[in-house]
Amino acid sequence: MSSLFSSALLLVLMFVTLLMAASALRYDRDIGFYWGSQFANVISGKVVTLSLYNSSGCGFQSYDGFLFGRFDIRIKLVPGNSAGTVTTYYISSSGPYHDEVDMEFLGNVTGQPYILHTNIFSNGVGGREQQFYLWFDPTLNFHNLLVDDVAVRIFNNNEAIGVPFPNSQAMNVYSSIWCGDSWATQGGRIKTNWADAPFTASFRNLKANACKVSYGSTSCGSSAPLWQPVTLTNTIKKQLARAQNKHMIYNYCTDYARFPQGFPAECYRPQFYQ
């Protein structure tokens, strides 16, 4: 769900530019359905649809794990009344001290914008939520996620001040659709209308330009230029500032009610110190 580097992690939305060097993953070969496979449909190995019914949703994961790289996927979200639905794309390791980078798309009633809900877990600790209104309609066409010119969030490496950073555990790629109407739409006030089911999201062009970890061996190379830190250009800084100033609706680093004793340590650090 993201670009991982040794100094910072960027969450970006991709509209046009594809990562041409990325390795394409096939839905009939490189992923497995860990939940609700009866509600998934693979089309020619290149497209998969995930559907949510009253009885269950569904999800897939990549067979391989990855470190330090870029991932992109094209997603068309649930159209119409999608209240209560949650469509996800994320990378995660396993275990109680797992690393995870989340992008969750929270449905809404017809005509209201989707919310992009992001979170980052490092060494099993999460609670780093930021939310943004999407400034386009993600249901009209496929949109590319995570490898574009539009950065929406940065998470810096602050290991020097004791903040764990997700840079040591191989993570698999996941996508799913499920019912989160206890919280997803207007804090749970708007429930899923099951008369509109099934709710279906479509996925294609899953690519990974990343260092692969499989069966204990790795393609990672410490000297490989691809895995070196990426400079935060003025363009990226402006994109981050625009996303946060114009589209952000929640930031854990400003939630005084949630952290009355003080914010997490990274909240006191400047964003653009690389």
Side-chain angles (χ1 to χ4, degrees), residues 104-120:
E104 300 182 335
F105 300 90
L106 312 183
N108 217 326
V109 295
T110 303
Q112 296 187 354
Y114 263 81
I115 291 173
L116 169 60
H117 176 94
T118 70
N119 197 3
I120 296 167

Side-chain angles (χ1 to χ4, degrees), residues 196-225:
D196 294 330
F199 301 97
T200 300
S202 303
F203 305 78
R204 69 184 187 192
N205 293 84
L206 175 58
K207 298 182 180 181
N209 191 12
C211 150
K212 183 167 68 173
V213 179
S214 182
Y215 299 105
S217 62
T218 177
S219 63
C220 308
S222 59
S223 62

Side-chain angles (χ1 to χ4, degrees), residues 2 5 11 15 31 33 40 43 51 101 103 112 164 192 200 217 235 238 247 258 264 267 271:
S2 69
F5 305 102
L11 299 183
F15 301 114
I31 64 101
F33 296 99
I43 304 169
S51 295
V101 183
M103 295 184 83
Q112 296 187 354
T192 302
T200 300
S217 62
T235 297
K238 288 178 181 178
H247 304 292
R258 183 175 168 192
C267 296
Q271 281 197 90

Side-chain angles (χ1 to χ4, degrees), residues 19-40:
L19 181 62
M20 301 308 295
S23 174
L25 278 67
R26 288 183 60 92
Y27 294 107
D28 59 353
R29 181 190 64 201
D30 300 310
I31 64 101
F33 296 99
Y34 66 95
W35 170 49
S37 60
Q38 68 272 31
F39 299 135

